[in-house]
Amino acid sequence: VTLEAPFDSDKLGIIVLDEVTFTEEVIDHLVSLGHRKIGLRMGPKEIPMFSNNIEGVRKAFKKHNIELNEEQIMFGDYFAQSGYDAVKKALDEGREFTALFSANDQMAIGAIKAIKEKGLSVPNDIAVTGVDGIYVTTLIDPPLTTVELPRFELGYKAGTMLADMIKNPSKKGGHI
């Protein structure tokens, strides 16, 4: 059984998140707050999460008649240092955004550090969102607006699926 790894196999149990939908919902939220210049702190292009996140961004931008340009996208890995480096560079280059979508909380935390070092305020100058719902996001100032992923539910479903596959070896894993 795999979690968050969309393999193409009928022999595996596959459980994935709807990254397209939650990304679209985060962008919708930012637009509802009046943001139209939204920076995008993404992971590597080569992984499925990037494709899903960017599809959600495109859907939301189209809905709100916002143009997506490559200058808005900042790439890197999923660590805090990467979020810091990418946002610091973007701000140093004079790129303007009033909100930032980060594909995970670690990058968002790094981005907040870069924003504050530039003398800007979160969320007054730049609103920042993340994805994961890790505990440390409640400890930073201000607390991070984040998509809390259903980790317990994912683990429970994976365990149930695996137990069912063990009891019924001829049964295929399925896709949730």
Side-chain angles (χ1 to χ4, degrees), residues 16-28 42 48-61 63 101 131 147 149:
V16 294
L17 296 167
D18 187 352
E19 293 161 342
V20 174
T21 298
F22 73 64
T23 301
E24 181 180 5
E25 289 174 351
V26 171
I27 300 298
D28 287 344
M42 305 295 220
M49 184 178 181
F50 169 78
S51 299
N52 294 336
N53 288 148
I54 205 68
E55 183 181 340
V57 167
R58 284 192 173 108
K59 287 175 79 171
F61 276 23
K63 183 183 347 174
F101 167 82
V131 174
V147 175
L149 301 180

Side-chain angles (χ1 to χ4, degrees), residues 1 23 35 42 50 52 54-55 63 69-70 87 90 94 98 112 118 131 147 150-151 157 168 176:
V1 174
T23 301
H35 298 287
M42 305 295 220
F50 169 78
N52 294 336
I54 205 68
E55 183 181 340
K63 183 183 347 174
N69 62 56
E70 294 300 313
V87 173
T98 62
I112 289 170
K118 198 71 170 169
V131 174
V147 175
R151 298 287 183 210
K157 286 183 179 188
N168 305 300
I176 298 174

Side-chain angles (χ1 to χ4, degrees), residues 90-116:
L91 293 171
D92 287 347
E93 291 173 350
R95 290 193 237 170
E96 294 183 17
F97 44 92
T98 62
L100 178 69
F101 167 82
S102 290
N104 80 349
D105 289 347
Q106 290 286 336
M107 292 188 299
I109 291 167
I112 289 170
K113 180 180 180 191
I115 291 165
K116 287 183 173 185

Side-chain angles (χ1 to χ4, degrees), residues 117-134:
E117 281 183 3
K118 198 71 170 169
L120 300 170
S121 168
V122 175
N124 297 330
D125 295 314
I126 301 176
V128 179
T129 63
V131 174
D132 282 328
I134 60 175

